Amino acid sequence: MFRIGDAARLSGITIKLIRYYESVGLLRVVDRQTNGYRTYELRDVHELRFIKRARLLGFPIKEIKELLELWRNKQRRSHTVRRLAEAHLANLNARIRAFEGVTGVLERLINACEGNDRPDCPILDELGAEEQID
């Protein structure tokens, strides 16, 4: 049995995040000792590590819940996991393309700005431009 500080240290997740994961249902609500301390088992630490890795891969909480349920279920079908991962990858790729578009515009604006002591600033001009209303 581990206290929350031990679970945090062993999993690499902060105490605050552990409490949050419990509150949103990612991690089971653990037992408390008579003194009020939470007690965690080794499986809780493994699940915290699983959550941490999934977060590092960018999975949102809702999808991590699904992945955890699949991970806990030894009767799962891997195609379900694969579809979830493929959908996440497609979402990440779409976001990357959107960010590439944004960085291209920002680079163009930075290149257009002379960065001198004059007040003229194409970056501010672009940000303050009125949109065309059709």
Side-chain angles (χ1 to χ4, degrees), residues 67-83:
L67 288 168
L68 267 171
E69 288 172 13
L70 289 164
W71 187 55
R72 291 172 184 142
N73 177 4
K74 301 304 179 197
Q75 305 303 313
R76 68 186 170 258
R77 296 195 170 150
S78 66
H79 67 81
T80 306
V81 180
R82 182 183 172 117
R83 278 199 304 262

Side-chain angles (χ1 to χ4, degrees), residues 56-115:
L56 288 172
L57 290 173
F59 282 98
I61 297 294
K62 180 182 174 196
E63 291 177 12
I64 293 174
K65 279 183 183 183
E66 292 178 55
L67 288 168
L68 267 171
E69 288 172 13
L70 289 164
W71 187 55
R72 291 172 184 142
N73 177 4
K74 301 304 179 197
Q75 305 303 313
R76 68 186 170 258
R77 296 195 170 150
S78 66
H79 67 81
T80 306
V81 180
R82 182 183 172 117
R83 278 199 304 262
L84 217 153
E86 287 172 338
H88 180 62
L89 179 61
N91 182 284
L92 286 175
N93 283 327
R95 291 175 64 194
I96 288 168
R97 286 189 298 279
F99 279 121
E100 287 171 344
V102 169
T103 58
V105 170
L106 192 53
E107 285 173 353
R108 179 181 55 79
L109 292 172
I110 290 169
N111 289 333
C113 180
E114 294 182 26

Side-chain angles (χ1 to χ4, degrees), residues 20-38:
Y20 171 72
Y21 292 152
E22 284 180 16
S23 73
V24 297
L26 271 184
L27 193 63
R28 71 182 180 91
V29 177
V30 297
D31 297 328
R32 288 183 182 261
Q33 296 174 337
T34 55
N35 59 9
Y37 289 122
R38 292 172 166 91

